[in-house]
Amino acid sequence: MLKAAGAAAGAAGIGVGAGVGATALASPASAAGSAFAHPGLLHTRTDLDRMAAKVKAGARPYTAGFAKLTANRHAQSGWRANPQATVYRGAGSPQNYAILYNDIHAAYQNALRYHVSGETAHADTAVAILNAWSGKLTSVQGSADRFLAAGLYGYQFANAAELVRDHGDFALGRAQEVMRNVFHPLSDSFLRDHNGAVVTNYWPNWDLTALACVLATGIFCDDRAVVDRAVEYFKHGDGMGSVKHAIPVVHEDGLAEWVEAGRDQGHALLGVGLMGTVCEMAWNQGIDLYGYDDNRFLKGAQYVAKWSLGGDVPYTANTRKKGAIGGWSGSETASDVAVADSAMTRPIWAMIANHYTKRRGLSASYLTRAAAQAAPEGGGGDYGPNSGGYDQLGFGTLAFTRDRVEKAGSGVAPGAGPSGVASGGGARPQGAVSAPASPAAGRDLAATGAEDLVGWAAAAGVSAVAGGLLLLRRRDRVRRGGAE
């Protein structure tokens, strides 16, 4: 399997084939009899096969990304779970949520390592961790931070579980019950009533943690109504985390303000990473949130990337109401963009940059520069011991680096509607090309500029084209030498 996948991936890297672009090679697999594609949260079967083939072939930057994974202490098959019946965050005795996020990251990292290396001990470890927690966890409690815990660790638990859902020893039904009965209710409640506060009381990342959990629950549990709820909230929700509230102002230069940039850099990075997670999980089920509202998320992510890299960005003063409904009230104004540290990074950029520049062929120079600076991206345990270092699952250099997809024919996905957005419940081929962003200030954003090539070359050590040629030459040398 790996041998065949490696050949396909090498050819796709430079658009080799009998007049066929890479689009046909990038379709996610769908589980028989299911309304949703499985695996189909952050990673599809195509994604997992690509990672395995690229690492086996010694292709950069995948090998650097995999080395980052194998060096992480959470990715070791000797990890043992420490499940708790009740998890507390923000208040309660004991405040033990770190146990949960460490175990979830260990499950995810071991599961990902298994799919790349084929070493079954890592799959067995991931299954043992997840089964231990699904057999014991009954509630998440604490202060308002309990909603953050449910959202963050709910979507992460689902992603780890999705990678081993077909393992013979995995208690799938029990894991689904934990998502439905422990994580999802808190996240869904938050999106509905925001902990009894006025709807603008909480910054975007609060909504986005809940949104990621609700969407992951719907996909993992094959619940169409729950998925639809998440998609509708992303587009039209009243809270700060819906896309037009998180990104309220679009400028003529193609950048759009991320409202939480008026708070601080760390939370802005968290929000961008979470919105990217929501977009990626939806995309793998045929739902295009990445491109929604003329690629609004692209414009917001570019803004945060430029700002985080030390660039100057505008900011429109934002005043939001705060307080409890029927209780205290007030307001807060963010009048200017916060100070940013160009050395601060999180493992969020590879996924977003690869989508827009490799799947879609759009120019996103700030995203590619941010991805290059962060490469190779690590995961939980690589960004400090505190909870912020575990907010993203990470390892994007390994998981989301893609070969450039060539536009085949009209570029519209099979089953897509007139706009090029897939309709119905089928999974959208990952290589589908949708409508480009509107040109800004006379510049065609649909044209990938030379600055993107420079950015990816810095991240990968070679450009995508050079990498494809290198892979094919290496495979040719192996064949001629008689080695496997």
Side-chain angles (χ1 to χ4, degrees):
M1 179 188 72
L2 293 180
K3 189 174 181 179
I14 53 173
V16 172
V20 178
T23 302
L25 301 175
S27 300
S30 182
S34 171
F36 293 93
H38 295 295
L41 288 173
L42 285 174
H43 314 301
T44 66
R45 173 59 57 196
T46 299
D47 294 332
L48 296 169
D49 289 348
R50 179 186 66 248
M51 294 177 226
K54 292 289 192 178
V55 170
K56 184 178 182 182
R60 295 184 292 174
Y62 301 89
T63 50
F66 187 59
K68 195 78 173 178
L69 173 64
T70 58
N72 193 301
R73 69 185 183 91
H74 295 77
Q76 310 310 313
S77 61
W79 190 279
R80 296 294 177 265
N82 183 19
Q84 309 290 307
T86 301
V87 167
Y88 299 92
R89 176 167 175 167
S93 179
Q95 190 174 201
N96 59 353
Y97 66 101
I99 299 173
L100 174 60
Y101 67 65
N102 274 281
D103 275 359
I104 289 176
H105 281 258
Y108 172 78
Q109 291 180 28
N110 271 279
L112 189 62
R113 185 171 178 176
Y114 157 70
H115 279 286
V116 177
S117 70
E119 298 171 278
T120 58
H122 294 289
D124 294 342
T125 297
V127 167
I129 295 168
L130 295 166
N131 283 351
W133 277 95
S134 69
K136 190 165 185 178
L137 181 65
T138 59
S139 67
V140 176
Q141 299 181 21
S143 65
D145 283 6
R146 69 190 184 278
F147 294 107
L148 295 177
L152 288 167
Y153 313 137
Y155 96 76
Q156 293 173 359
F157 182 94
N159 269 278
E162 182 79 351
L163 291 179
V164 294
R165 67 181 295 138
D166 294 329
H167 191 286
D169 295 330
F170 179 55
L172 174 60
R174 208 165 68 195
Q176 290 173 325
E177 288 303 303
V178 167
M179 290 302 301
R180 290 191 189 101
N181 298 332
V182 178
F183 295 119
H184 176 261
L186 281 168
S187 292
D188 186 63
S189 170
F190 187 84
L191 294 182
R192 292 182 187 280
D193 63 25
H194 292 87
N195 196 29
V198 297
V199 73
T200 56
N201 183 75
Y202 292 96
W203 286 101
N205 70 84
W206 288 78
D207 265 7
L208 289 166
T209 59
L211 191 58
C213 180
V214 170
L215 180 60
T217 300
I219 296 169
F220 182 62
C221 298
D222 290 307
D223 191 323
R224 174 67 57 185
V226 172
V227 170
D228 290 345
R229 159 100 172 114
V231 171
E232 174 64 18
Y233 196 94
F234 177 94
K235 295 178 178 179
H236 305 297
D238 293 331
M240 297 283 284
S242 61
V243 66
K244 292 182 182 179
H245 289 121
I247 310 170
V249 181
V250 178
H251 295 283
E252 291 185 357
D253 65 358
L255 298 184
E257 294 176 22
W258 188 267
V259 69
E260 210 153 356
R263 182 187 183 189
D264 62 60
Q265 184 183 10
H267 287 99
L269 292 173
L270 168 61
V272 170
L274 288 168
M275 189 171 284
T277 293
V278 169
C279 290
E280 184 70 17
M281 293 190 298
W283 175 271
N284 287 334
Q285 299 301 331
I287 303 164
D288 186 8
L289 299 182
Y290 274 119
Y292 179 71
D293 193 29
D294 195 25
N295 292 310
R296 196 180 191 97
F297 177 52
L298 166 62
K299 298 167 186 176
Q302 280 267 86
Y303 173 97
V304 174
K306 179 181 180 181
W307 167 56
S308 292
L309 290 165
D312 293 328
V313 293
Y315 189 84
T316 304
N318 180 279
T319 299
R320 61 193 182 92
K321 293 181 178 179
K322 297 178 65 178
I325 297 175
W328 70 274
S329 62
S331 65
E332 180 179 70
T333 298
S335 58
D336 200 358
V337 68
V339 175
D341 177 2
S342 61
M344 180 185 290
T345 189
R346 290 289 185 271
I348 64 173
W349 299 115
M351 176 176 66
I352 304 168
N354 272 278
H355 173 80
Y356 287 114
T357 67
K358 300 300 181 65
R359 279 179 177 152
R360 288 250 169 104
L362 301 178
S363 179
S365 59
Y366 299 114
L367 287 175
T368 54
R369 285 173 56 195
Q373 177 178 289
E377 288 181 355
D382 290 321
Y383 299 89
N386 298 323
S387 60
Y390 292 81
D391 286 343
Q392 284 86 30
L393 289 168
F395 300 104
T397 305
L398 168 66
F400 301 112
T401 298
R402 303 177 185 281
D403 295 320
R404 178 71 177 271
V405 172
E406 299 296 330
K407 185 174 180 180
S410 67
V412 177
S419 66
V421 177
S423 59
R428 178 194 180 102
Q430 290 180 295
V433 179
S434 67
S438 298
R443 182 180 181 191
D444 183 7
L445 291 179
T448 301
E451 69 271 23
D452 290 323
L453 182 60
V454 171
W456 288 117
V462 289
S463 70
V465 173
L469 292 170
L470 179 64
L471 174 57
L472 290 180
R473 285 199 298 268
R474 181 185 295 113
R475 292 184 63 82
D476 184 58
R477 286 198 302 270
V478 169
R479 289 193 190 97
R480 284 186 279 108
E484 290 298 325

